[in-house]
Amino acid sequence: MSRIAVLASGAGSNLQAILGYLAAAESGTTVSLVASDKPQAGALAIAARAGIPAVTLRDPGDGRFILALLAEHRIELVALAGYLRRVPEIVTQQYRGRMINVHPALLPAFGGPGMYGVHVHRAVLGAGVKVSGTTVHFVDENLDAGPIIVQAAVPIEDSDTPETLAVRILREEHRIYTEAIRLVLSGLWRIEGRRVLKGN
Ligand code: GRF
């Protein structure tokens, strides 16, 4: 039995996918907290409907408050899902190896400051690459640069716009995010250098 917190700034489709996976898995693992920097975030509404504590972070930069909130809910794993704020360093340090993020591109390409949502897909199409995708990685102090857990490639079609590409990638995000959560919670992994390897 594990207790997960999801931090999100937007619609919450990744949260919805995680809830669906956990319900089907009957693993006893639960999403025990949802927090957002945006009071009107769809993710908070999804949490409220599911009876999950839903919290708006008045000051997303207040690491002590976030740590106290996570401790209050006995959180073991933090999943960032479209959370657009920088997580304070005292939180990423405390949750090293227990905080993960999903990014809508094949990191390390198309990551870093300003690379979120449609901006990523615009940059990808602008670069003329033929394959994009999504990445789930551990979160550390380096934005979008923590060790990679799972990736999925998505071919780019000539007719693609940033919006049509975003839709196909989001579908893959939902699939690999639940796969990454299952792997991380299994404990059957280890980090060697910057590589996440299965088996411990
Ligand atoms: C996803 O595309 C995620 O990769 C990005 O923000 C979006 C969030 O989508 N960081 P949702 O709120 O989970 O629907």
Side-chain angles (χ1 to χ4, degrees), residues 122-143:
R122 207 170 281 141
V124 164
L125 293 176
V129 295
K130 296 301 179 191
V131 177
S132 186
T134 175
T135 304
V136 178
H137 61 95
F138 283 110
V139 175
D140 60 22
E141 294 71 42
N142 311 301
L143 186 61

Side-chain angles (χ1 to χ4, degrees), residues 100-158:
I100 59 179
N101 178 49
V102 62
H103 184 79
L106 293 175
L107 295 172
F110 306 106
M115 281 297 176
Y116 60 90
V118 75
H119 304 290
V120 174
H121 307 302
R122 207 170 281 141
V124 164
L125 293 176
V129 295
K130 296 301 179 191
V131 177
S132 186
T134 175
T135 304
V136 178
H137 61 95
F138 283 110
V139 175
D140 60 22
E141 294 71 42
N142 311 301
L143 186 61
D144 295 337
I148 292 170
I149 305 165
V150 186
Q151 289 187 301
V154 174
I156 293 175
E157 294 159 9
D158 289 357

Side-chain angles (χ1 to χ4, degrees), residues 19-74:
L19 292 175
Y21 161 72
L22 293 176
E26 294 177 350
S27 61
T29 296
T30 59
V31 174
S32 307
L33 171 70
V34 174
S36 180
D37 58 320
K38 301 229 173 11
Q40 74 283 2
L44 291 178
I46 290 171
R49 280 197 299 276
I52 298 167
V55 174
T56 300
L57 301 172
R58 301 253 163 265
D59 176 6
D62 184 347
R64 293 193 188 297
F65 175 85
I66 295 172
L67 282 177
L69 183 67
L70 296 172
E72 179 196 338
H73 293 271
R74 294 179 285 115

Side-chain angles (χ1 to χ4, degrees), residues 10-14 81-82 102-104 170 173:
S13 71
N14 277 288
V102 62
H103 184 79
L170 195 57
E173 290 182 39

